[in-house]
Amino acid sequence: MAQVPQTFFDALAVRTWCGLALTALGRAREEIDAINVYPVADGDTGTNLYLTVESAATAVEAVFAGYEFGSCSGGASVEKPSLADASRAMAHGALIGARGNSGTILAQLLRGMAQVLAAEGEAPHTDGDGLRLALRQAADSARLAVAHPVEGTVLSVASAAADAAGGAEGDCGTVARAAYQGACAALAATPGQLAVLERAGVVDAGGRGLVAVLAALVETFTGETPGLSAAVSASAGSHTRVQPAGAAGTADAEDAEDCADGAGADGADGEGGPAFEVIYLLEAEDAAVARLRQRLDALGDSLVVVGGDGLWNVHVHVDDAGAAVEAGVEAGRPYRIRITHFGVGDAHTRGGERPPRERVQRAVVAVVPGEGLAGLYTEAGATTVLARPGEPPVSGELVEAVRRAHAREVVLLPNDADLRHTAAAAAEQARTEGIRVALIPTRSAVQGIAALAVHEPGRRFDEDVVSMTSAAGATRYAEVVVAERQSWTMAGICQAGDVLGLVDGDVAVIGSDVTATAESVLNRMLSAGGELVTLVLGDEAPEGVAEHLEARVREAYLAVDTVVYRGGRQGALLLIGVE
């Protein structure tokens, strides 16, 4: 079906662009992965860009869903998010979901655009002039985020797009098309700017991904999908590494030149580079981040720090991963820490040979809402994916976790009703890679705990899955949360600040006191019987609530046991499970 073009850059245009960009990167992912030779030939640039945009698109969809939900409370006309709402969500989603070097730079490009589109105190930048400004700010801010920019990379492509857009007069479609054409020309020129690309006979992978994102921008405003130029298409589509004529006998010199030009930059080329990629989100003040940049720049290369307003995404290649994380701890609070060792066959470890690690027979992969539960699940042998409040994992993160489990058979526990489609997509992707995956539709972390308690890797896969599914299904679940806005519920109208008790996903109790509401919920659940109560306390749960509920169970339900866990920053004040 042809895409209906957007006339102005409004919230719907942001939503449309994100969706089209995700589709475009999905189609081009394998091609981009295959031409990924710089800064590290680890074949994941296309995947990283896809995951970054997937996170941005998910955040934008959540904003639209929030407005649609909120409009139901008072019978008023349906509201829609503003351009500022949607563009900020896009930037935030990309920031928290950014993967790899190119994904982190793309997140800053989107953030730069959002700084213009969501500017406060000014008329909305919804026309061609606004898009020109946004593309310029995107390119400039991305270049500033990279410690040592290198030409012939996605930075060059972004700058060329902004330059071309700056010379275009007209509506958003005209400006977007000019930016796309400028990006294509710059992409075709990248092999002449980076020797490592010329030797491989390919264009820059990150730049190729940005061209796909800009093609989606053109489609958003014109309804037409532009095609790659013949030169770019031929180069990007060639996965064969071609040694250029006259290069014989000069490879060593070029390697040395690449290292000199690229070390500590948008990437590093050549053998003997850092062994680890370290990425984390960081809550920190600007001054602390400035010091962190200096510290990390001295530790390694490929340093990119993006973000602002107290939240940052840090990416660096180092030999001492622990020191990179410690630097983050000194600067603020790092979390979602990912450390990847560059494996056999990539640009950093070509000289070493070691046998691949043998797959285990079976593993459990679980989404958990807080650090405390992540520790509990990990102790029980599960591979975990941390879901922070307002930051649900995307399907790519679940696929990554399944791969990380390194098993022939995987049991997947989403532990959230809203993640069922995301988990199903991840399971389907993993199956195409030859992994046997069973998805147990757990709706809460307490159901996951029950399933994990009966997990026995030694028995037949089907038997294990049936047993775990049965245990999860026999566990009723509840949570105690604070209402964020006025809304209609199954228990009546709640106001912002009310304490809500949800049983099996529906609001059953509305109260003003956390402990009293939790006791009322627990009594409702135990009225139908039960043998074991599981309480998972969030960081913001009031002191004494667990002790009060334990005492209540001992007094009123003599044959029922209680177990208490600390969940950390899990969103809900309290999770309750009754088996």
Side-chain angles (χ1 to χ4, degrees):
M1 180 181 295
Q3 173 65 40
V4 178
Q6 302 298 311
T7 306
F8 298 103
F9 212 140
D10 57 7
L12 185 57
V14 173
R15 185 188 203 181
T16 302
W17 181 32
C18 287
L20 291 173
L22 187 63
T23 299
L25 287 171
R27 287 195 300 261
R29 182 183 61 81
E30 291 184 2
E31 170 198 318
I32 297 171
D33 282 347
I35 63 172
N36 174 201
V37 298
Y38 183 86
V40 177
D42 47 359
D44 63 357
T45 292
T47 300
N48 287 336
L49 289 170
Y50 179 87
L51 293 174
T52 302
V53 173
E54 184 182 38
S55 183
T58 300
V60 173
E61 289 300 325
V63 168
F64 274 84
Y67 271 81
E68 290 165 3
F69 176 80
S71 68
C72 298
S73 59
S77 60
V78 177
E79 295 183 29
K80 292 182 180 179
S82 66
L83 173 59
D85 293 331
S87 56
R88 288 194 190 106
M90 172 185 69
H92 180 74
L95 177 68
I96 64 175
R99 297 302 182 91
N101 198 58
S102 294
T104 307
I105 293 173
L106 178 60
Q108 187 64 13
L109 288 167
L110 297 179
R111 177 178 172 80
M113 291 190 71
Q115 287 173 331
V116 172
L117 299 175
E120 296 180 0
E122 300 180 20
H125 294 290
T126 62
D127 57 5
D129 289 341
L131 181 54
R132 278 198 299 273
L133 291 173
L135 290 168
R136 181 77 270 163
Q137 176 65 16
D140 293 346
S141 64
R143 191 168 285 270
L144 289 173
V146 177
H148 302 280
V150 170
E151 298 307 324
T153 65
V154 63
L155 297 176
S156 303
V157 177
S159 293
D163 290 343
E169 296 292 338
D171 59 12
C172 288
T174 302
V175 174
R177 193 181 297 279
Y180 171 76
Q181 291 169 347
C184 284
L187 179 63
T190 56
Q193 296 173 292
L194 269 182
V196 64
L197 301 178
E198 186 176 22
R199 289 198 306 274
V202 297
V203 294
D204 179 67
R208 172 66 182 89
L210 179 57
V211 164
V213 172
L214 290 173
L217 187 64
V218 173
E219 186 176 358
T220 298
F221 292 113
T222 68
E224 302 172 0
T225 305
L228 281 176
S229 69
V232 172
S233 182
S235 181
S238 172
H239 302 164
T240 304
R241 306 299 187 243
V242 181
Q243 183 77 1
T250 66
D252 291 345
E254 287 179 345
D255 280 341
E257 177 187 347
D258 289 342
C259 288
D261 290 343
D266 161 279
D269 178 46
E271 299 176 22
F276 297 96
E277 177 184 61
V278 178
I279 305 175
Y280 49 79
L281 293 178
L282 177 70
E283 294 177 356
E285 299 298 323
D286 290 5
V289 172
R291 293 190 296 270
L292 175 66
R293 289 179 192 268
Q294 296 178 343
R295 173 87 180 274
L296 293 179
D297 195 19
L299 287 175
D301 62 37
S302 295
L303 173 60
V304 186
V305 180
V306 304
D309 301 321
L311 180 62
W312 308 82
N313 189 307
V314 179
H315 170 281
V316 68
H317 294 173
V318 293
D319 279 321
D320 189 345
V325 175
E326 288 171 7
V329 173
E330 292 176 6
R333 192 182 76 84
Y335 61 98
R336 280 201 180 183
I337 301 167
R338 295 191 296 273
I339 300 174
T340 303
H341 186 276
F342 293 120
V344 174
D346 70 25
H348 289 327
T349 59
R350 285 192 289 260
E353 292 294 335
R354 63 185 180 193
R357 180 164 61 96
E358 181 67 22
R359 286 184 180 274
V360 298
Q361 183 59 32
R362 189 175 308 157
V364 176
V365 173
V367 180
V368 290
E371 297 92 338
L373 281 180
L376 175 67
Y377 273 75
T378 300
E379 288 176 9
T383 298
T384 61
V385 178
L386 189 60
R388 291 187 171 275
E391 301 174 12
V394 295
S395 62
E397 291 180 83
L398 301 189
V399 173
E400 250 187 27
V402 171
R403 292 171 182 152
R404 194 168 71 244
H406 206 63
R408 298 182 183 89
E409 302 168 339
V410 171
V411 179
L412 182 57
L413 306 175
N415 291 340
D416 186 336
D418 292 336
L419 288 178
R420 61 189 184 279
H421 297 307
T422 301
E428 190 60 35
Q429 173 62 37
R431 291 181 188 117
T432 66
E433 299 176 10
I435 304 170
R436 189 179 185 188
V437 182
L439 172 61
I440 297 179
T442 47
R443 296 171 173 266
S444 169
V446 293
Q447 288 190 324
I449 291 173
L452 201 55
V454 300
H455 169 55
E456 291 186 15
R459 63 185 165 195
R460 289 178 56 247
F461 185 61
D462 291 339
E463 292 177 356
D464 197 27
V465 171
V466 168
S467 178
M468 295 176 71
T469 302
S470 177
T475 302
R476 280 160 288 149
Y477 64 96
E479 59 181 312
V480 177
V481 300
V482 176
E484 296 181 355
R485 62 173 71 88
Q486 183 190 59
S487 182
W488 291 94
T489 76
M490 297 290 289
I493 300 176
C494 71
Q495 305 295 328
D498 284 349
V499 181
L500 308 181
L502 289 83
V503 178
D504 293 336
D506 292 323
V507 176
V509 180
I510 300 175
S512 58
D513 179 76
V514 174
T515 301
T517 302
E519 181 178 340
S520 179
V521 169
L522 187 57
N523 286 335
R524 283 173 177 257
M525 298 177 75
L526 287 174
S527 65
E531 299 175 355
L532 176 66
V533 172
T534 300
L535 304 175
V536 183
L537 299 175
D539 276 350
E540 297 182 2
E543 288 292 328
V545 63
E547 291 80 1
H548 178 87
L549 295 178
E550 284 185 284
R552 172 62 182 164
V553 171
R554 283 195 302 269
E555 294 168 3
Y557 308 96
L558 301 180
V560 179
D561 294 323
T562 305
V563 60
V564 180
Y565 301 110
R566 296 280 174 179
R569 296 180 61 196
Q570 62 183 22
L573 298 173
L574 178 68
L575 300 178
I576 304 174
V578 174
E579 301 176 46

